[in-house]
Amino acid sequence: MILGIGTDLANIDRVAGTLERFGDRFRNRVFTETEQRKAERRRDTAGTYAKRWAAKEACSKALGTGLRMGIAWKDMSVTNLPTGQPVMHVTGWAEGRLREMTPPGHEAVIHVTLTDDHPWAQAFVVIEARPLDNLS
């Protein structure tokens, strides 16, 4: 069962300008240390940040809140599996909201996909409730 969906489109050049203007202040407010390490290793640093920005926006929409009601940027973070597949993690208020949304007898699974084609970065998030008895 689908609990929520969200999408967002971010302008890579705008994120690059924000990084240039605010530097660490912006990075540290929005992105986890793991996300920062990933982005700073990439040739397209701004594109990597823009995709993660879009993922956080999309996740907040899938949670049904947008970026309000106590949710913080760093309550949502993106890492990658060894295959490169992005994975969304939630902590803090976002994790609590996810628990509230999840029906009894289910586990929540967050699916995320990221893409970019300069100057745009896009993310799509689907939150699925999977019955616990189907996990075997």
Side-chain angles (χ1 to χ4, degrees), residues 24-97:
D24 285 343
R25 193 168 122 206
F26 171 64
R27 280 194 257 323
N28 294 332
R29 179 172 175 245
V30 176
F31 302 100
T32 65
E33 288 181 26
T34 301
E35 289 173 314
Q36 290 180 47
R37 280 194 306 272
K38 171 83 171 181
E40 297 300 325
R41 285 194 316 260
R42 303 297 294 270
R43 186 170 23 114
D44 183 13
T45 301
T48 302
Y49 279 122
K51 285 186 279 190
R52 278 147 180 77
W53 171 281
K56 291 167 187 269
E57 286 275 8
C59 184
S60 71
K61 292 170 185 175
L63 288 167
T65 63
L67 285 161
R68 59 181 176 85
M69 295 176 58
I71 199 166
W73 286 105
K74 289 164 90 173
D75 284 349
M76 302 162 289
S77 66
V78 178
T79 62
N80 295 83
L81 297 176
T83 61
Q85 177 184 347
V87 178
M88 177 65 69
H89 306 275
V90 292
T91 58
W93 192 93
E95 183 180 26
R97 173 69 180 142

Side-chain angles (χ1 to χ4, degrees), residues 6-24:
T7 189
D8 193 66
L9 186 65
N11 185 290
I12 296 169
D13 294 332
R14 183 171 176 229
V15 170
T18 302
L19 287 164
E20 188 174 306
R21 183 170 176 201
F22 296 105
D24 285 343

Side-chain angles (χ1 to χ4, degrees), residues 130-136:
R130 193 177 291 164
L132 291 172
D133 58 355
N134 287 349
L135 294 177
S136 44

